[in-house]
Amino acid sequence: MVVEAARALDRGHYTYRVPASMQVVTGHRVLVPFGRRTVWGYVVGLTDAHPGIELKRIARPCTETPHLPPTY
């Protein structure tokens, strides 16, 4: 599964790979690699379509309930 994650709703989205053992839904906060650091982002979309490039994987999800409603 592939996820589109954004650092903020008014910024661009970035694509990350979801590890097979991880469950995320739209609105979840996830820790993702971003340049040389690791930052929190929000899942804004999910797909099974792979973009054809190597993707970095989500480091870990936030274990709390989703922070954003399904339609933001």
Side-chain angles (χ1 to χ4, degrees):
M1 181 182 311
V2 176
V3 65
E4 293 288 323
R7 292 183 54 219
L9 294 179
D10 62 343
R11 296 188 182 178
H13 301 168
Y14 298 89
T15 306
Y16 292 91
R17 183 172 53 85
V18 180
S21 61
M22 189 181 296
Q23 297 292 321
V24 295
V25 297
T26 301
H28 264 156
R29 196 164 70 138
V30 290
L31 198 58
V32 295
F34 193 78
R36 289 189 227 163
R37 55 196 175 155
T38 304
V39 298
W40 287 105
Y42 293 91
V43 176
V44 295
L46 298 164
T47 183
D48 286 326
H50 196 281
I53 59 172
E54 185 175 342
L55 299 174
K56 294 180 180 180
R57 68 179 188 86
I58 293 173
R60 71 179 174 93
C62 180
T63 57
E64 300 171 15
T65 57
H67 290 277
L68 297 175
T71 55
Y72 55 88

